[in-house]
C-alpha cells in the first residue's frame, strides 16, 4: 500500500449485524464530517426481518466534493466472518481491513496478493475489558468509533461531544460506559495505519453545515413550506417522516395523525387541505397504490395536497428495505380518468428539503395534488449541506376569511381558489365539494360541455406550470455526443460518471430531471443534439430496454436514440457500473451491421 502524505476523501465500510449499532457509529462519523466542513454521503443496508441480520453502513467523506457513497472502500471493518467474506470484494486493492479477531479469520495470502493491509483488533475482548460483561454488544461500536477517530486523526473532543449528544437523556452510567469505550478505541495502538489517512487541509468556508437524512429533510422541508396538517400510516421507509412530523408539527401550531389505514390517511389530508392550507400524506409504493382512488377525488375537488412517496422495491410488499425507482408510473398515472397531478423527484438530501417547500408552493398556487418522489437510498442517506436561510424560506400559513360577495371555487376563466370553511358568502351560494363533475360553484353537473371544459381547466394547470419551468441544465462536456439522463438519487452517480469520462477521453454530458410532470420544455431539442441519450434509472428495462422514465421520454419526444441503463437488484448504481454499461452501449453502436 502506498503512503500518501494526505488524501482528499476516503470511503469506510462497516459490516456487521444490525444489532451491533453500526448505524449509530456510521451516523456519528458522518455528522462529525459535516461539523468540520467536510463533504459526506452515506449508504446503508438493513435487513427486512424483525429479528435483524447482516447489515452495512458506508461513509464517504472528504475535503473534496463527494457526490456518491463510493464504489470501493478504502477501509473495511468486519465484525464477523460473514462480514469479511461478503464484503472483502468491496475493499479496493491496497486498502485496509480492520477486523475483530475474536470472530474473523481472514485469508492472509489472498489479502497479500491484493496488497490489502490486515489489522487485527480484539474489539469484543477489549470492550468487555473496558465496559464489562453486558456492555459488550452495546460498546464495541463506540470502541470502533474511537479507533477510526485515531486512524483519521479526527478531533477527539468533538467526537466525544457527539457521543454525549447521542446518549443524552440516558442514565449517566450509559454515557460513562460509552465514553470509556470511545477512549479505549482511541488509545488502541494500531501502528502506522493512521499515516495513510490524513485529510487535506480545507480552507474555512465560513458556512454552517447541517447533516441529516433524506427523510429528515423531507419532514423539515414540509414544515418550512407551511404544511401544518398531515396524516399517515406507518410503512418502511416512509415511517421516519411521519414520526418526525408527529413530534415536530405541534411546535408550529400543526397536527399530524396516524390513521387506521392508507385510505383514511389521504382522506384526512384532503379534509385538512379543504381547511385552507396545503396538507400532507405519504407512504411507500404499497400505500400509494391504496391512496390512488382518493387521489382522484383530490384532483376533481382541486385541493392543495402534497403526497410523499419514499420508494422501495416492488411490486406488492417487494423489498421493504431496498432501493428502487419503480413508482414513477403510478405517480404519473395512478388513478382512473384524466387526473393530472404534479410530480417532483428529489435529487439528493439537500434537495429533499427544498423540494418540499416547492411542492407546498405549487400545491397552494395551483390547487393541485403534488407527488414528491424520494427513495430508500435518499431516505437513509446522510449528507452535509449549508444551513438553510430559514428567515427567507419559511412559509407561515394564514387563512383568508374575508367576507365575499359571491364565490366560485372553480371559475372557468380564473385559477381555483377555495374559501376556507367559516368564510361568509353574502349571496348565500356556498360552494360544494364533491367527487362528481361539477359547475363553477361545485354543484354536480352531468353536462358533457361542462365536463369537457372542467377537464381542460384541470389539465391547463400543468400546461401553465410547464411554461414557467426553465430549460434543464446540461452538465459536462460541450462536445459530448452521448447524454446521460437521470432522476432521483442517481444524480451524484451520473455526475461522477461524467467527470470520470472527461478525463478518460470519452466525454459525456448529463441532464437531471426534477420536474417529471409536467416535464420541462425543450427536451426534444436538447436530445436531438446527441447521438445517444441513455436514461439511467433503478427499475426494470422492459421489452425495449428502457425503464419507466425512458419510456416516458421516448413517448414525449419521439427521439429514437433514447435507450435505457436500468437495474433492479435492490442496490444503488456504482460509478464503475454505469461507466461499464455506457461503454458497452457505445461499443455496440459503433460495430458495423452484419448481414
Amino acid at each position: 500500500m502506498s503512503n500518501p502524505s494526505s488524501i482528499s476523501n476516503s470511503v469506510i465500510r462497516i459490516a456487521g449485524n444490525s444489532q451491533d449499532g453500526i448505524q449509530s457509529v456510521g451516523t456519528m462519523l458522518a455528522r462529525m464530517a459535516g461539523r468540520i466542513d467536510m463533504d459526506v454521503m452515506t449508504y446503508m443496508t438493513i435487513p427486512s426481518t424483525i429479528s435483524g441480520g447482516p447489515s452495512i453502513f458506508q461513509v464517504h467523506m472528504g475535503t473534496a466534493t463527494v457526490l456518491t457513497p463510493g464504489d470501493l472502500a478504502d477501509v473495511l471493518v468486519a465484525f464477523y466472518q460473514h462480514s469479511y467474506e461478503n464484503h472483502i470484494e468491496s475493499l479496493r486493492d491496497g486498502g485496509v481491513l480492520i477486523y475483530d479477531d475474536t470472530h474473523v479469520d481472514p485469508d492472509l495470502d489472498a489479502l497479500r496478493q491484493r496488497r490489502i493491509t490486515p489489522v487485527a483488533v480484539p474489539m469484543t475482548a477489549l470492550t468487555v475489558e473496558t465496559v464489562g460483561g453486558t456492555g459488550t454488544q452495546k460498546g464495541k461500536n463506540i470502541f470502533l468509533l474511537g479507533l477510526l477517530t485515531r486512524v483519521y486523526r479526527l478531533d477527539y473532543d468533538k467526537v466525544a461531544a457527539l457521543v454525549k449528544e447521542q446518549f443524552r437523556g440516558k442514565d449517566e452510567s450509559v454515557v460513562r460506559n460509552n465514553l470509556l469505550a470511545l477512549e479505549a478505541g482511541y488509545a488502541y495502538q494500531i501502528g502506522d495505519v493512521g499515516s495513510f489517512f490524513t485529510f487535506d487541509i480545507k480552507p474555512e468556508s465560513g458556512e454552517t453545515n447541517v447533516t441529516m437524512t433524506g427523510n429528515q429533510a423531507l419532514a423539515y422541508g414540509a414544515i418550512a413550506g407551511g404544511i401544518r396538517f398531515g396524516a399517515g400510516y406507518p410503512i418502511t421507509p416512509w415511517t421516519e417522516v411521519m414520526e418526525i412530523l408527529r413530534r415536530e408539527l405541534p411546535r408550529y401550531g400543526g397536527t399530524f395523525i396516524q390513521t387506521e389505514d392508507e385510505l383514511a390517511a389521504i382522506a384526512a389530508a384532503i379534509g385538512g387541505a379543504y381547511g385552507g392550507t396545503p396538507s400532507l400524506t405519504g407512504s411507500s409504493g404499497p400505500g400509494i397504490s391504496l391512496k390512488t382512488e382518493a387521489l382522484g377525488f383530490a384532483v376533481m375537488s382541486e385541493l392543495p395536497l402534497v403526497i410523499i412517496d419514499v420508494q422501495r422495491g416492488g411490486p406488492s410488499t417487494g423489498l421493504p428495505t431496498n432501493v428502487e425507482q419503480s413508482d414513477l408510473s403510478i405517480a404519473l398515472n395512478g388513478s382512473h380518468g384524466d387526473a393530472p397531478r404534479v410530480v417532483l423527484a428529489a435529487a439528493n438530501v439537500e434537495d429533499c428539503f427544498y423540494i418540499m417547500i416547492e411542492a407546498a408552493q405549487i400545491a397552494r398556487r395551483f390547487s393541485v395534488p403534488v407527488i414528491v418522489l424520494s427513495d430508500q437510498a435518499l431516505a437513509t442517506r446522510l449528507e452535509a449541506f449549508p444551513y438553510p436561510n430559514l428567515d427567507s424560506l419559511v412559509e407561515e400559513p394564514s387563512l383568508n376569511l374575508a367576507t365575499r360577495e359571491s364565490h366560485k371555487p372553480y371559475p372557468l376563466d380564473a385559477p381555483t381558489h377555495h374559501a376556507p370553511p367559516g368564510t361568509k358568502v353574502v349571496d348565500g351560494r356556498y360552494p360544494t365539494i364533491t367527487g362528481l363533475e361539477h359547475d363553477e360553484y361545485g354543484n354536480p353537473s352531468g353536462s358533457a360541455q361542462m365536463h369537457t371544459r372542467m377537464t381542460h381547466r384541470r389539465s391547463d394547470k400543468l400546461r401553465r406550470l410547464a411554461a414557467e419551468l426553465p430549460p434543464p441544465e446540461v452538465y459536462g462536456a460541450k462536445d459530448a455526443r452521448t447524454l446521460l439522463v437521470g432522476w432521483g438519487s442517481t444524480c451524484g452517480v451520473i455526475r461522477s460518471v461524467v467527470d470520470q469520462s472527461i478525463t478518460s477521453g470519452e466525454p459525456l454530458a448529463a441532464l437531471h430531471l426534477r420536474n417529471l410532470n409536467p416535464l420541462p420544455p425543450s427536451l426534444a431539442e436538447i436530445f436531438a443534439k446527441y447521438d445517444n441519450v441513455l436514461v439511467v434509472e433503478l427499475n426494470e428495462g422492459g421489452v425495449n430496454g428502457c425503464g419507466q422514465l425512458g419510456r416516458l421520454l421516448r413517448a414525449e419526444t419521439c427521439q429514437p436514440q433514447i435507450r435505457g441503463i436500468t437495474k433492479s437488484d435492490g442496490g444503488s448504481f456504482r460509478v464503475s457500473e454505469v461507466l461499464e454499461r455506457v461503454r458497452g452501449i457505445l461499443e455496440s453502436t459503433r460495430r458495423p451491421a452484419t448481414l
Side-chain angles (χ1 to χ4, degrees):
M1 179 174 179
S2 60
N3 291 0
S5 58
S6 61
I7 58 173
S8 59
N9 53 36
S10 186
V11 179
I12 308 157
R13 174 173 288 207
I14 306 168
N17 289 332
S18 56
Q19 304 94 327
D20 294 320
I22 60 177
Q23 286 81 19
S24 294
V25 67
T27 297
M28 284 188 278
L29 197 59
R31 292 191 184 282
M32 180 63 196
R35 291 189 181 186
I36 58 178
D37 210 15
M38 284 187 181
D39 268 18
V40 64
M41 189 177 292
T42 68
Y43 170 76
M44 64 181 287
T45 65
I46 53 177
S48 59
T49 55
I50 295 174
S51 59
S55 178
I56 69 164
F57 198 103
Q58 184 161 302
V59 181
H60 185 187
M61 62 183 187
T63 53
T65 300
V66 171
L67 296 174
T68 74
D71 277 16
L72 296 175
D74 300 297
V75 174
L76 171 64
V77 179
F79 278 178
Y80 307 106
Q81 188 68 21
H82 67 76
S83 310
Y84 160 73
E85 293 173 353
N86 292 341
H87 297 283
I88 191 60
E89 294 304 318
S90 69
L91 180 63
R92 67 171 175 83
D93 291 352
V96 173
L97 169 68
I98 300 174
Y99 63 96
D100 188 340
D101 62 3
T102 308
H103 302 293
V104 180
D105 182 20
D107 184 341
L108 297 179
D109 289 336
L111 297 180
R112 276 192 291 270
Q113 291 176 9
R114 294 180 54 196
R115 297 176 289 106
I116 292 173
T117 301
V119 181
V121 182
M123 284 183 266
T124 300
L126 289 174
T127 305
V128 169
E129 181 181 318
T130 303
V131 179
T134 58
T136 303
Q137 299 303 319
K138 295 180 180 180
K140 71 178 181 181
N141 62 332
I142 305 300
F143 179 96
L144 172 63
L145 179 62
L147 190 69
L148 293 173
T149 300
R150 165 74 71 179
V151 168
Y152 285 92
R153 301 187 181 183
L154 302 176
D155 188 313
Y156 177 82
D157 291 336
K158 290 183 178 180
V159 176
L162 267 175
V163 172
K164 291 177 183 177
E165 287 180 24
Q166 178 76 11
F167 297 101
R168 182 186 298 145
K170 301 285 187 180
D171 187 84
E172 287 186 11
S173 63
V174 174
V175 179
R176 182 179 64 252
N177 284 344
N178 279 284
L179 289 175
L180 285 172
L182 179 75
E183 184 178 356
Y186 187 76
Y188 185 78
Q189 297 302 309
I190 200 170
D192 64 351
V193 171
S195 66
F196 301 144
F197 301 109
T198 303
F199 284 109
D200 295 332
I201 297 174
K202 183 178 181 180
E204 291 285 341
S205 68
E207 294 181 328
T208 301
N209 281 345
V210 58
T211 305
M212 60 174 56
T213 66
N215 273 351
Q216 291 170 328
L218 288 172
Y220 288 107
I223 295 171
I227 288 174
R228 294 296 179 266
F229 180 81
Y233 186 79
I235 181 174
T236 301
W238 138 266
T239 304
E240 184 186 17
V241 181
M242 185 179 89
E243 294 298 328
I244 294 171
L245 289 173
R246 188 162 61 179
R247 182 183 70 241
E248 297 292 337
L249 269 178
R251 301 180 184 182
Y252 299 88
T255 302
F256 193 96
I257 60 172
Q258 178 176 324
T259 58
E260 65 271 26
D261 57 38
E262 298 282 7
L263 188 56
I266 189 171
I270 289 171
Y274 179 58
T277 60
S279 295
L280 177 145
T281 188
S283 190
S284 189
I288 297 298
S289 299
L290 295 169
K291 293 179 189 292
T292 54
E293 181 181 358
L295 173 60
F297 182 91
V299 171
M300 178 63 83
S301 56
E302 300 185 49
L303 290 167
L305 178 68
V306 178
I307 304 170
I308 296 173
D309 180 0
V310 187
Q311 301 167 93
R312 67 190 206 181
S316 189
T317 43
L319 300 172
T321 59
N322 291 77
V323 62
E324 205 164 87
Q325 295 177 302
S326 53
D327 289 355
L328 179 57
S329 293
I330 193 173
L332 295 171
N333 305 306
S335 188
H336 51 284
D338 290 312
R341 78 295 304 268
V342 175
V343 180
L344 308 174
N348 51 43
V349 170
E350 181 178 17
D351 197 30
C352 284
F353 178 81
Y354 290 102
I355 209 166
M356 287 304 299
I357 299 174
E358 182 180 339
Q361 291 171 341
I362 292 172
R364 182 185 299 110
R365 182 178 165 209
F366 290 94
S367 290
V368 65
V370 180
I371 297 177
V372 176
L373 294 173
S374 178
D375 59 47
Q376 191 272 345
L378 285 176
T380 59
R381 175 192 297 172
L382 280 160
E383 293 179 30
F385 57 90
Y387 199 89
N389 184 352
L390 297 178
D391 290 338
S392 64
L393 290 172
V394 172
E395 300 273 355
E396 291 295 346
S398 61
L399 297 181
N400 181 8
L401 295 170
T403 299
R404 309 183 188 201
E405 292 299 319
S406 183
H407 179 63
K408 294 180 181 180
Y410 310 107
L412 293 172
D413 56 354
T416 302
H417 286 294
H418 288 282
T423 303
K424 183 177 180 180
V425 180
V426 175
D427 68 4
R429 298 185 68 176
Y430 286 92
T432 300
I433 295 292
T434 175
L436 292 169
E437 188 57 277
H438 46 255
D439 62 17
E440 294 174 279
Y441 289 96
N443 299 316
S445 170
S447 163
Q449 183 182 27
M450 183 61 69
H451 178 58
T452 299
R453 297 183 71 180
M454 283 293 178
T455 299
H456 180 79
R457 72 180 297 281
R458 288 190 290 266
S459 296
D460 192 54
K461 297 179 182 185
L462 270 63
R463 286 186 282 270
R464 287 188 285 122
L465 176 60
E468 298 176 2
L469 298 177
E473 176 187 352
V474 176
Y475 174 82
K478 294 187 182 300
D479 60 342
R481 304 306 307 155
T482 298
L483 179 72
L484 304 184
V485 179
W487 64 282
S489 61
T490 62
C491 181
V493 168
I494 291 173
R495 288 211 166 194
S496 294
V497 169
V498 169
D499 291 341
Q500 289 193 24
S501 72
I502 293 172
T503 60
S504 67
E506 183 73 68
L508 302 171
L511 182 152
H512 200 81
L513 293 174
R514 293 173 74 253
N515 298 88
L516 300 177
N517 197 40
L519 289 165
S522 309
L523 284 181
E525 291 85 351
I526 293 172
F527 292 169
K529 299 175 183 177
Y530 297 91
D531 298 332
N532 298 285
V533 177
L534 307 180
V535 185
V536 183
E537 51 186 325
L538 294 168
N539 52 54
E540 172 56 34
V543 176
N544 61 8
C546 278
Q548 294 182 15
L549 178 61
R551 294 194 291 272
L552 173 66
L553 294 178
R554 285 175 70 99
E556 291 284 335
T557 67
C558 300
Q559 300 283 338
Q561 74 275 32
I562 296 175
R563 299 177 180 85
I565 294 179
T566 66
K567 76 166 188 170
S568 51
D569 61 3
S572 298
F573 275 113
R574 301 188 308 276
V575 174
S576 58
E577 184 179 11
V578 178
L579 269 171
E580 183 179 350
R581 298 277 295 277
V582 170
R583 287 166 180 160
I585 291 173
L586 296 184
E587 180 63 28
S588 68
T589 59
R590 294 190 189 107
R591 293 174 191 151
T594 56
L595 298 177

